[in-house]
Amino acid sequence: MLRALLLASAVSLAAAPLHAAEITVFAAASLKTALDDFAGTYEAGTGDTLSISYAGSSQLAKQIEAGAPADVFISASVDWMDAVADAGMVRDGTRRELLGNTLVLIAHDPAAAPVAIGPQADLPALLDGGRLAMALVDSVPAGQYGKAALTHLGLWDAVAPAVAQADNVRAALALVSTGEAPYGIVYATDAAADRGVSVVGTFPADSHPPIIYPAALTRDARPEAAAFLEALSGPEAKAAFEAQGFTVFGR
């Protein structure tokens, strides 16, 4: 009996990862649903533990620049990855363009009529005294893309007084999902993650800068983080991202 227990213990130890690590990931809030799905698969396959902090890309970038101990940064904006790189906090040769996304107008009312997104759209009339939920328009990528699109279409000045700004895109999504705001501007992937909202319009791709999610190792990333960054371009991650509506870029 004792011999069998010792043998079983030896087999168990042999099967366990010898160098399991905790990898700290700073990721744009819009990635939460897809990345959480993939994280479970990755942890089960490697034995590593992923500690993922979600927030607006601007907030995460500033934390990394201030010395926060992140191993991997996934931004929803090229500009905020540039800022971290310019601060010397990105490891050379590890940066890659990972994902793309689409910008949409969402409504709380499931019966809300479709909206033709263009210069002719009368958003103040659509809101009818309500608020338009957006992520912070001067710092958070989803808010920046949304403001750029509205400005390009000539709609910003009319709707700006009605904008309710939230710390990140998931917070803006929540304002619409709970009915605190009748409409909002988020990524298509956020809308897909919340049954409390419906998509009523899609912003033209040429109305805002391309929505690109770059990923990279930080300057002081631990060795195990390189395998996770590589896995983000693998088939399991691709399936998780595509299931939420992201465009997955090839390498």
Side-chain angles (χ1 to χ4, degrees):
M1 180 65 176
L2 178 60
R3 181 179 178 183
L5 289 173
L6 291 173
L7 179 60
S9 177
V11 170
S12 176
L13 289 172
L18 297 178
H19 302 289
E22 181 173 321
I23 300 166
T24 302
V25 181
F26 278 19
S30 53
L31 292 166
K32 180 171 175 53
T33 305
L35 198 53
D36 280 353
D37 285 348
F38 172 62
T41 301
Y42 186 82
E43 290 175 333
T46 64
D48 291 340
T49 299
L50 299 176
S51 176
I52 308 177
S53 294
Y54 296 104
S57 298
S58 55
Q59 179 181 346
L60 297 173
K62 291 172 183 177
Q63 290 176 0
I64 293 171
E65 290 174 26
D71 297 303
V72 178
F73 178 38
I74 314 173
S75 172
S77 164
V78 170
D79 289 345
W80 284 113
M81 182 63 79
D82 286 346
V84 174
D86 291 344
M89 301 300 289
V90 168
R91 184 172 297 175
D92 291 344
T94 66
R95 179 173 173 171
R96 64 189 65 181
E97 292 187 352
L98 188 66
L99 304 167
N101 213 330
T102 304
L103 198 66
V104 298
L105 179 68
I106 58 171
H108 174 69
D109 183 354
V115 177
I117 306 293
Q120 77 290 345
D122 189 349
L123 293 184
L126 182 72
L127 293 171
D128 192 26
R131 308 285 274 176
L132 179 68
M134 298 177 65
L136 295 171
V137 299
D138 291 327
S139 58
V140 175
Q144 293 174 309
Y145 293 129
K147 181 180 179 180
L150 293 171
T151 301
H152 177 84
L153 296 170
L155 305 174
W156 175 250
D157 289 343
V159 79
V163 170
Q165 298 188 52
D167 286 343
N168 58 66
V169 70
R170 285 300 174 101
L173 176 71
L175 289 177
V176 182
S177 181
T178 59
E180 294 183 60
Y183 291 89
I185 298 176
V186 299
Y187 299 124
T189 54
D190 296 301
D194 192 325
R195 295 182 179 180
V197 305
S198 58
V199 174
V200 294
T202 300
F203 285 85
D206 62 0
S207 67
H208 55 79
I211 300 173
I212 296 173
Y213 290 68
L217 296 181
T218 62
R219 182 186 64 193
D220 301 321
R222 65 197 72 196
E224 294 86 356
F228 173 72
L229 180 64
E230 190 64 28
L232 289 174
S233 297
E236 292 88 357
K238 182 175 186 289
F241 290 131
E242 288 183 340
Q244 290 301 311
F246 287 98
T247 299
V248 179
F249 299 142
R251 292 210 51 204

